[in-house]
Amino acid sequence: MEKQKKSRVEWLDSIRGITLISMILYHAVWDIVYIAKVDWDWFKSDGAYIWQQSICWTFILLSGFCWSLGRSKWKNGLEVSAAGILVSIITCIFTPNERIVFGVLTFLGAAMLFMIPLEKMLCKVPDKVGVVVSFLIFLFTKELSDGYLGIGGIKLISLPQDMYHQGYFMTFWGFKDAAVFTTDYFPIFPWIFLFITGYFIYRIFQRHKWLEKRMFPTMKYAPFGVMGRHSLFVYLLHQPVIYAGVLVGQMLL
C-alpha cells in the first residue's frame, strides 16, 4: 500500500509566493539602478533597506518554519545548496561585477543541512524559550560581518580583526574578508539564528494545531500560491530574465 502524501499547507505557499513577488520587484529595481545606471536616490535610502530586509527575513524565517515539514531533509538541503553553488558559478562567469558568493540559496542549503544534527539538541529546548533566545542572539550578532556584536547598531563587543582576513572560509561563517566581493551575502552567522527562530515558531504552531487552519482559503489557486509551490525554480529563473530585460531595454532606449 502506498504511503499517503503529505498535503501542502496552502497559506505557507501563499506567503512564500507573495514574498517572491516582492523579491522579483526588488531585484528588478536593483538591476535598473546598478546595471542600467538609472539614478534613483530612494533606492539607496533606509526605506529600500527595510524592503530588502523584509524579503530576506521572511524567506529565512519561513524556511526555518518549513524545515520540519520536509520529508527528505538531506535531499532538500543538498538540492538548495547545489542551486546556490550554480548561481555562484554562473554569476562569476557571466556577470563577474555582480557575482554572488555565499548568497541566500547557499545559506539556506547549509542551514537545512546543519539543522539535521542541531535538531537533536534544539528539540529539548522549550519552544517559547527557543523563539526568544534564538531571535535575541540573531539581533546581537546581526552586525558580525562589520566586526562587532551589539543591538540595534550599538557596538557592545569589538571582535579581533584577524578573524576578518582569512579568505573564503571565515567569510562563509560571517567574518567577511574585504577581499571577497559579492553582491548578495548571507553567512551562517547571524542568519542561522533567524532560521532557528522559524523552527521554534513552527513548534509553537504544531503544539497549538494551528497548521490545520486555512488562514488564506481564497488564495488556493492564486498566482502567488503557485509561485510558492515552485519557489526554487522561480528564484533561479527570475534574475536571468530580469537581467536580459534590462539589457534589451538599454539597447532599445
Side-chain angles (χ1 to χ4, degrees):
M1 192 171 184
E2 291 185 7
K3 289 184 179 179
Q4 192 173 13
K5 289 185 177 180
K6 288 183 181 179
S7 59
R8 295 189 69 91
V9 182
E10 294 165 5
W11 58 269
L12 291 175
D13 287 330
S14 299
I15 295 173
R16 191 181 292 109
I18 292 168
T19 309
L20 275 169
I21 292 171
S22 181
M23 177 197 68
I24 291 168
L25 292 172
Y26 179 86
H27 284 166
V29 177
W30 194 97
D31 285 0
I32 290 169
V33 171
Y34 290 102
I35 296 175
K37 306 300 181 184
V38 174
D39 191 22
W40 188 16
D41 288 339
W42 179 84
F43 197 65
K44 300 172 185 178
S45 69
D46 290 340
Y49 175 74
I50 291 171
W51 180 17
Q52 184 263 349
Q53 289 290 292
S54 73
I55 296 167
C56 61
W57 281 42
T58 302
F59 267 131
I60 292 171
L61 276 170
L62 196 59
S63 295
F65 186 99
C66 294
W67 181 84
S68 297
L69 295 170
R71 289 191 295 270
S72 180
K73 295 177 175 60
W74 279 107
K75 180 183 176 183
N76 293 343
L78 290 172
E79 284 181 350
V80 176
S81 294
I85 293 169
L86 179 64
V87 168
S88 296
I89 293 171
I90 291 173
T91 56
C92 285
I93 293 172
F94 295 103
T95 57
N97 292 332
E98 289 85 37
R99 64 182 176 270
I100 295 173
V101 180
F102 304 135
V104 68
L105 287 182
T106 305
F107 163 74
L108 288 175
M112 291 175 186
L113 295 173
F114 288 155
M115 276 295 294
I116 296 172
L118 283 175
E119 201 265 344
K120 295 177 182 178
M121 296 182 292
L122 296 175
C123 68
K124 300 175 183 178
V125 179
D127 46 33
K128 290 181 180 179
V129 173
V131 167
V132 173
V133 172
S134 56
F135 187 65
L136 286 177
I137 295 174
F138 166 69
L139 293 178
F140 185 64
T141 58
K142 181 70 167 54
E143 312 303 330
L144 180 71
S145 62
D146 290 328
Y148 69 91
L149 304 176
I151 296 288
I154 300 173
K155 186 185 295 187
L156 299 176
I157 302 173
S158 295
L159 297 172
Q161 289 305 300
D162 287 347
M163 300 174 72
Y164 294 84
H165 301 285
Q166 303 298 324
Y168 286 90
F169 178 75
M170 293 300 283
T171 296
F172 170 76
W173 294 102
F175 305 93
K176 189 177 184 300
D177 191 322
V180 177
F181 173 74
T182 177
T183 57
D184 188 34
Y185 180 52
F186 288 86
I188 298 303
F189 302 117
W191 296 103
I192 189 70
F193 297 113
L194 190 63
F195 190 97
I196 292 171
T197 302
Y199 160 82
F200 281 115
I201 293 173
Y202 165 81
R203 282 181 42 191
I204 293 173
F205 271 64
Q206 183 188 44
R207 180 162 54 83
H208 291 284
K209 301 187 185 302
W210 289 340
L211 285 174
E212 290 79 5
K213 293 188 178 181
R214 299 187 65 185
M215 298 179 71
F216 301 100
T218 61
M219 296 182 181
K220 182 176 179 180
Y221 300 110
F224 35 75
V226 175
M227 290 176 67
R229 287 193 290 276
H230 304 283
S231 56
L232 183 58
F233 175 76
V234 173
Y235 185 93
L236 291 173
L237 185 64
H238 86 281
Q239 191 63 296
V241 171
I242 293 171
Y243 186 78
V246 170
L247 293 181
V248 171
Q250 281 183 295
M251 289 187 290
L252 295 175
L253 293 176

